[in-house]
Amino acid sequence: MRSLSDTVRRLSRRHFATEVPGSSPSPLKPLDHFGSNPGELRGWSYVPPGVTPSPALVVVLHGCTQTAAIYDTCSGWSRLADEYGFALLLPEQVRSNNSNLCFNWFNPADVRRNSGEALSIRQMVEHMIERCNVDRSRIFITGLSAGGAMANAMLAAYPDVFSAGTILAGLPYRSASTISEAFDRMRGYGLQDSEALEAEVRRASDHQGPWPRVSVWHGTGDDTVVPANAMAIVGQWRGVHGIGPQPASTRQRGSRTLQVWKDASGRGVIELNTFSGMDHGAPLDTTTGYGKSGAFFLDVGVSSTVESARAWGLRKPMLSSRRRDGIEVAVENALRWTGLAPRPRS
């Protein structure tokens, strides 16, 4: 069993510098005066020049040892926002809250509705809604590792705010309440059963539905946050959505396996993307021109950023002919993967 101190050392060895070599200056702008900020987080935003009227909003949560700017550069979210005209919000942890810059996903006071870090993020979201006239029906969230666990917490605590979320190498909501429990859960020890985890989501708010759609991404070679957490997240949300344990479909291509659970109406509401042998990190496809590989950003030929945008309906209605080499080809491939691509004309 890996010790807690060994896990901390592994995370610390992979820390980022303040900049990615060869990258352009970050386009992110500080978000000020967004509320009482009880969690004492920083906020950053990006609103592209070509933002659409009543745009969608994507909330992006970095992982431990990372900054908002580094995460944006490596994931490619602001470049995607340029292309598709949505607004971007990137909350950021500070060392006075957590020395490793992890969001405190395990602290009950920080993941409770209207409390701590969760409320700070909610206040940032409301600030962006008012500032950019965001479409309240198109607010999405994603995060990696501790950021993935915090994204899951935000989906649970504020299901009335978010339409969908993508959880990358994350953990179930309220699966831990102390630092030592957090490290146990990361190693797969003491995870609750699906019924207990579902109950935590239901207790998080008085929401009656509809519930957010959830997409989970995890590598089978991840020994920082072991893959058992991915299945636990799926189990947590299956009960909420009222669906059984067996996926409606399973597809495999290369190292990736995609399982989809559908609700009674036939709509896909939970996805599980697993990558054979992949380590701890966010899957990327650098051939799209969106994102850079590095620590915790893994070029496996599939972009979690691109596919999340596709699943959330953020792509433009018509594909532009000026960028056939990058994002549009990737989005078309993603659509074909899920069977949603239009049939070619005969």
Side-chain angles (χ1 to χ4, degrees):
M1 181 186 299
R2 180 180 300 119
S3 68
L4 186 153
S5 59
D6 178 55
T7 303
V8 172
R9 284 195 299 269
R10 285 167 54 84
L11 289 170
S12 299
R13 282 199 301 267
R14 298 186 184 186
H15 74 275
F16 274 102
T18 55
E19 295 181 356
V20 176
S23 64
S24 302
S26 172
L28 304 182
K29 303 298 182 185
L31 192 73
D32 298 318
H33 311 297
F34 56 81
S36 60
N37 191 18
E40 300 181 350
L41 301 177
R42 290 196 187 101
W44 301 86
S45 68
Y46 180 62
V47 182
V51 67
T52 61
S54 297
L57 174 65
V58 176
V59 181
V60 179
L61 302 178
H62 64 80
C64 295
T65 76
Q66 299 174 338
T67 66
I70 292 295
Y71 193 90
D72 175 55
T73 296
C74 290
S75 64
W77 272 110
S78 62
R79 293 198 64 196
L80 201 63
D82 278 331
E83 197 72 15
Y84 290 169
F86 57 84
L88 198 61
L89 167 64
L90 292 97
E92 185 178 76
Q93 186 59 282
V94 298
R95 290 200 186 277
S96 57
N97 285 343
N98 187 294
S99 60
N100 283 314
L101 298 180
C102 309
F103 289 100
N104 289 309
W105 61 271
F106 51 84
N107 183 6
D110 281 310
V111 297
R112 188 182 303 127
R113 186 179 176 96
N114 299 331
S115 175
E117 292 177 11
L119 179 54
S120 290
I121 296 169
R122 176 66 182 94
Q123 290 175 343
M124 293 182 202
V125 169
E126 192 62 31
H127 181 87
M128 292 296 292
I129 291 171
E130 295 175 0
R131 171 184 161 193
C132 302
N133 192 33
V134 165
D135 181 348
R136 289 183 182 271
S137 70
R138 294 197 300 149
I139 301 175
F140 310 96
I141 191 165
T142 182
L144 169 65
S145 192
M150 197 67 184
N152 195 27
M154 294 302 295
L155 291 168
Y158 297 100
D160 51 324
V161 174
F162 298 99
S163 296
T166 294
I167 301 163
L168 308 172
L171 298 101
Y173 175 62
R174 292 298 302 269
S175 56
S177 58
T178 66
I179 293 176
S180 60
E181 286 182 357
F183 280 99
D184 276 346
R185 304 302 177 263
M186 289 167 65
R187 295 188 294 263
Y189 297 105
L191 285 167
Q192 303 97 312
D193 61 29
S194 297
E195 290 76 15
L197 291 171
E198 175 193 345
E200 293 290 356
V201 173
R202 293 192 181 277
R203 279 195 290 265
S205 74
D206 58 3
H207 185 64
Q208 298 301 312
W211 295 94
R213 291 175 288 125
V214 177
S215 182
V216 181
W217 298 61
H218 221 109
T220 64
D222 189 340
D223 60 1
T224 300
V225 178
V226 300
N229 285 280
M231 289 305 304
I233 296 169
V234 170
Q236 182 166 61
W237 286 97
R238 277 196 302 99
V240 171
H241 281 285
I243 51 182
Q246 297 304 316
S249 65
T250 300
R251 297 187 183 187
Q252 186 166 0
R253 180 176 295 172
S255 66
R256 178 192 184 190
T257 301
L258 170 64
Q259 296 173 285
V260 179
W261 284 260
K262 297 182 178 181
D263 62 15
S265 70
R267 185 180 69 132
V269 291
I270 300 173
E271 290 183 353
L272 175 60
N273 298 268
T274 54
F275 291 81
S276 178
M278 191 181 79
D279 200 351
H280 186 65
L284 294 179
D285 180 1
T286 57
T287 64
T288 65
Y290 291 78
K292 295 177 179 290
S293 59
F296 303 119
F297 290 93
L298 310 175
D299 190 356
V300 295
V302 180
S303 171
S304 53
T305 301
V306 169
E307 294 220 12
S308 293
R310 180 275 308 165
W312 299 338
L314 298 181
R315 73 189 191 103
K316 292 178 180 176
M318 298 299 293
L319 296 179
S320 166
S321 60
R322 66 183 175 87
R323 197 172 179 86
R324 292 293 304 171
D325 60 329
I327 187 68
E328 294 177 355
V329 171
V331 170
E332 287 180 343
N333 288 340
L335 290 169
R336 291 191 183 96
W337 167 264
T338 55
L340 298 176
R343 294 182 181 274
R345 295 175 181 268
S346 56

